Amino acid sequence: MKILGLESSCDESAAAVLDSDQGLLAHAVFSQIELHRLYGGVVPELAARDHIRRLLPLLRGVLADAGIAAQQLDGIAYTAGPGLVGALLTGAALGRSLAFALGIPALGVHHLEGHLLAPLLEPDPPPFPHIALLVSGGHTMLIEVQGIGAYRLLGQTRDDAAGEAFDKTAKLLGLPYPGGPELARIAAAGRAGAFVFPRPMLDRPGLEFSFSGLKTAVMHAVRDRVLDDALRADVARGVQEAIVECLCVKALRALEATDCEVLTVSGGVGANLQLRETLSRLLAARGGRAYYPRPEFCTDNAAMIAVAGLARLRAGQHDDLAIGAHAQWALDSLPAL
Ligand code: KG4
Ligand code: ZN
């Protein structure tokens, strides 16, 4: 089967072609970062309008790169939620209509299932069952993954997501939007131990996270001080260490609680090098292993949507003719395969 994947849930427009035998044939992402930078965050209406401009050229581009015509597609998978509803509707309308015109099935894919299955795009994919640490701009979750569609939420954040914590503290440091990757970049020059920020929830049992207090702690740390590059780097290092430690401690706890030694890490924060290195080291010390998508498949992309879509379309699942988009959508409401 050849599947077209489309992603438009937030500020990345993306398309990909995945073949069930040959793997990923082509993928492309257009990031709207420049468009939203002026506002310091994603403006939903601008995002939706820009997806309309970008999606069709991206789609034509990946078909050309894959060397196939639209008529050779066997199905279309588009992100149907959760996300910005206007943005979602652009990809949903395009995917659903094109599938109708081509006479092939279409399926609305859950964006988080895409992130969860992104590690399957790699040549050495993780076995099932495993524990997934899903860390993005909107979510921080530990999930027991028994198989595709068999997800049990073990714990999540009570307030801000890990990516949000990176972005908000970066903003306080005056770093350019989006702050997460930039904060990680400058943290490399920071001194260890110059700032030690709180690690909420670590002293309590359970698998929940809380990151909202980090903003206040950073605000206090930089108040009445000259924010030069050295101070920025020290604070950035302290922030990254606090977030990474919270994620690692809870991920290990989840593995222990489920007697599992396989961890996957996905979502935008999964691109963070310190997180990847720390988890790999901790897992190796236990005789386990951590699996990651390549960094470009940690952040939003259509290849992951095509992976989830291919698995479900192959199993005979597809949507009716309605164009579906859900701002909220519970992961555990998905049917198992
Ligand atoms: O998965 P994603 O692309 O979009 C959502 O579905 O939310 O994640 C975006 C988030 C942003 O908060 C961004 O700052 C963060 O991932 N991020 C990073 C890094 N790269 C992206 N955070 C820390 N270190 C990075 N290298
Ligand atoms: Zn995402």
Side-chain angles (χ1 to χ4, degrees):
M1 278 184 100
K2 285 183 174 52
I3 301 295
L4 172 73
L6 294 172
E7 158 65 31
S8 69
S9 66
C10 190
D11 60 341
E12 260 97 30
S13 318
V17 180
L18 181 68
D19 182 290
S20 52
D21 296 327
Q22 300 168 60
L24 191 64
L25 299 183
H27 85 100
V29 180
F30 178 85
S31 169
Q32 302 177 353
I33 282 174
E34 288 308 323
L35 180 67
H36 302 291
R37 180 164 279 151
L38 181 63
Y39 308 95
V42 178
V43 182
E45 181 62 22
L46 293 182
R49 286 169 188 239
D50 206 51
H51 286 309
I52 292 172
R53 279 190 285 270
R54 307 290 173 187
L55 281 173
L56 214 43
L58 281 167
L59 187 162
R60 292 198 181 104
V62 293
L63 289 175
D65 289 349
I68 64 164
Q71 287 71 17
Q72 289 171 269
L73 290 170
D74 300 295
I76 298 182
Y78 58 87
T79 306
L84 303 170
V85 87
L88 288 166
L89 277 170
T90 64
L94 175 59
R96 179 59 274 186
S97 321
L98 183 59
F100 177 69
L102 294 169
I104 56 176
L107 183 76
V109 168
H110 195 294
H111 182 79
L112 297 184
E113 178 166 67
H115 277 303
L116 281 179
L117 302 183
L120 301 183
L121 285 160
E122 299 309 323
D124 180 19
F128 296 102
H130 58 247
I131 300 299
L133 173 65
L134 202 168
V135 272
S136 69
H139 298 86
T140 301
M141 296 171 154
L142 279 162
I143 297 165
E144 185 179 24
V145 181
Q146 289 290 345
I148 297 176
Y151 310 123
R152 186 164 71 95
L153 181 63
L154 302 174
Q156 60 182 327
T157 183
R158 291 188 165 188
D159 40 59
D160 289 353
E164 219 175 338
F166 268 104
D167 294 341
K168 287 180 176 171
T169 51
K171 204 169 183 175
L172 288 173
L173 294 180
L175 300 177
Y177 167 86
E182 187 61 18
L183 186 141
R185 194 182 64 76
I186 68 163
R191 290 169 302 153
F195 288 93
V196 179
F197 293 112
R199 275 97 162 126
M201 317 287 293
L202 279 200
D203 51 345
R204 291 190 224 169
L207 298 170
E208 289 192 302
F209 303 90
S210 166
F211 291 110
S212 65
L214 209 50
K215 291 185 305 264
T216 323
V218 169
M219 216 142 54
H220 284 301
V222 301
R223 199 169 44 194
D224 305 329
R225 297 186 62 169
V226 181
L227 250 185
D228 58 11
D229 286 350
L231 179 62
R232 277 199 189 96
D234 285 347
V235 174
R237 178 153 180 172
V239 166
Q240 180 170 254
E241 278 172 356
I243 296 173
V244 167
E245 188 179 335
C246 291
L247 296 175
C248 291
V249 169
K250 298 279 161 136
L252 288 196
R253 244 185 237 176
L255 290 166
E256 266 154 28
T258 51
D259 202 16
C260 180
E261 292 305 339
V262 182
L263 181 76
T264 66
V265 186
S266 56
V269 181
N272 185 276
L273 279 182
Q274 204 205 339
L275 178 66
R276 291 166 87 104
E277 281 166 18
T278 313
L279 281 173
S280 290
R281 188 164 31 79
L282 291 169
L283 265 288
R286 301 162 55 94
R289 192 172 153 194
Y291 292 78
Y292 314 90
R294 70 199 80 163
E296 66 193 294
F297 293 155
C298 285
T299 45
D300 288 347
N301 66 87
M304 68 183 195
I305 301 305
V307 171
L310 173 62
R312 291 188 175 277
L313 285 162
R314 224 175 175 180
Q317 294 180 18
H318 60 84
D319 290 343
D320 59 20
L321 286 180
I323 294 170
H326 326 280
Q328 314 269 355
W329 188 2
L331 190 61
D332 57 12
S333 69
L334 295 177
L337 282 199

